Amino acid sequence: MPAQDDEEQGQVFVDESDIIHEVDVDEEDLPDADDENDTENIEDPDDSIHIFTGHTGELYAVACSPTDPVLVATGGGDDKGFVWKIGHADWASVLRGHTDSVSSLAFSSDGQLLASGGFDGLVKVWDTFGNFKRTLEGPGGGIEWIRWHPKGHLILAGSEDCTAWMWNADNGNCLNVFSGHGAIVTCGDFTPDGKTICTGSEDATLRIWNPRSGESIHVVRGHPYHTEGLTCLSISSDSTLAITGSKDGSVHIVNITTGKVVSSCSSQTGSTDGNPESIECVSFAPNFPWAVFGGMDQNLTIWDLQNASPRFICNHKEGVTCLAWLGASKFLATGCCDGRIRIWNCLSGECIETFKGHEHAIQSLAVSSNLEFLVSVSMDGTARVFEIRDFC
């Protein structure tokens, strides 16, 4: 039986009567063999649980309310801010009135008020429903950053006009202008005890001020301090130390009482042209004797303050733009130019989670007051919310 033999040999013969329909195929439509290995067009999964898309431009700033765990404020290049709620897609309030990008946002420590700063040189005060309260005027240049006094309704802001300003947010009165820097005041803050102000500038100096008198107590400059403009600043929880990062790729820790540099560290790698890579973010650990810093060298460095040496250098695929501690835990989040957010165990130096979803660089991170949500804003024009309760 020939047919049975053919079947046993795995051969199948097709007769013309078996053809149902003929289709002409252009060779250009045929898949290339290399396409099977091409994964560039495969989209990454989106790990976020909430996406806010109310903005129409790049996002620069995000703040989470210290009292309402789902209340978030965002601002960006569309000259607007928004307040919105995690998990409430139908609730949002627009903050109108700025005529240039909203560069910075911050809630008061009691959660009652929100301040927005813009490149139009204005600081505006809002309630938590997005209702306008008042405008704080004075600076002659764009607002670089905003901070609230830890115990009251006082606002501190740094400006492109080389000054920092302090106002009473309840009545709009200017309380002091801090003059002395020779370039843009790029970073600054109150000490946690509220008794001192620290500001950093493009002029490569750190100034320590008396908030009441406006007097400059210390000016930190020259060797062994930074040689280029400061980019970021953070103050220890006991109000004794300030850590600063710079375009020169170095990090220095300063004793606020004496104005002396007590520790220094430099970026581990330089750029392709041999110049140092800028440090973009610095912070002290809440519950450990560490400092952390990240920058365009694609590294997060976990620095042991007691031994003045790095515990771990954590590599990223692109530059590190921002960071946020997940409460008082050992876990730290970093935002990067590659649009990824990475969660690090700072005890082991390991990356234990990578959150995907953004298409462009992360600009800022904030953590909700209940430590359940991490909110990120990006150059892609979106804010995204990720669950972090497993890490806190």
Side-chain angles (χ1 to χ4, degrees), residues 19 38 43 69 84 98 102 125 148 159 173 215 222 238 252-254 289 295 303 312 334 340 377:
I19 297 173
D38 185 5
E43 291 187 4
W84 49 275
H98 285 288
V102 176
V125 182
W148 288 85
S159 171
N173 291 340
E215 174 193 4
D238 63 2
H252 296 283
I253 297 175
V254 175
W303 185 259
F312 300 105
T334 55
R340 304 287 192 270
V377 293

Side-chain angles (χ1 to χ4, degrees), residues 63-86:
C64 288
S65 165
T67 55
D68 184 338
V70 297
L71 187 64
V72 179
T74 50
D78 57 3
D79 306 347
K80 290 184 293 199
F82 281 90
V83 286
W84 49 275
K85 293 186 176 182
I86 298 169

Side-chain angles (χ1 to χ4, degrees), residues 104-305:
S104 49
L105 291 159
F107 284 96
S108 59
S109 57
D110 61 8
Q112 294 180 2
L113 297 174
L114 171 69
S116 61
F119 287 149
D120 56 5
L122 300 177
V123 174
K124 293 181 179 291
V125 182
W126 318 80
D127 68 18
T128 54
F129 295 98
N131 297 313
F132 173 73
K133 304 286 284 185
R134 59 188 50 86
T135 297
L136 308 178
E137 299 179 344
I143 302 300
E144 291 283 308
W145 50 270
I146 290 175
R147 297 290 186 273
W148 288 85
H149 191 277
K151 300 174 183 177
H153 284 181
L154 303 182
I155 294 177
L156 181 68
S159 171
E160 290 178 331
D161 71 355
C162 312
T163 63
W165 292 66
M166 186 172 68
W167 299 269
N168 182 322
D170 291 327
N171 57 29
N173 291 340
C174 177
L175 302 178
N176 243 323
V177 180
F178 304 93
S179 301
H181 283 296
I184 297 171
V185 183
T186 53
C187 50
D189 205 347
F190 292 100
T191 53
D193 62 12
K195 297 178 180 180
T196 309
I197 288 171
C198 298
T199 58
S201 168
E202 278 272 12
D203 65 7
T205 70
L206 171 72
R207 285 181 177 262
I208 300 168
W209 309 85
N210 181 320
R212 291 184 179 275
S213 67
E215 174 193 4
S216 180
I217 304 169
H218 298 293
V219 182
V220 187
R221 61 185 163 200
H223 183 77
Y225 202 53
H226 299 294
T227 58
E228 294 185 48
L230 276 66
T231 57
C232 48
L233 174 154
S234 182
I235 300 173
S236 61
S237 59
D238 63 2
S239 301
T240 62
L241 299 174
I243 181 171
T244 56
S246 166
K247 290 180 177 179
D248 66 8
S250 70
V251 172
H252 296 283
I253 297 175
V254 175
N255 182 306
I256 292 174
T257 302
T258 65
K260 302 297 184 182
V261 175
V262 296
S263 187
S264 301
C265 182
S266 295
S267 168
Q268 300 300 308
T269 57
S271 63
T272 53
D273 60 7
N275 293 320
E277 296 279 17
S278 174
I279 300 297
E280 296 296 314
C281 45
V282 294
S283 181
F284 288 102
N287 268 354
F288 298 91
W290 311 330
V292 293
F293 55 91
M296 291 299 102
D297 65 352
Q298 304 181 12
N299 290 324
L300 166 74
T301 299
I302 304 169
W303 185 259
D304 188 316
L305 295 174

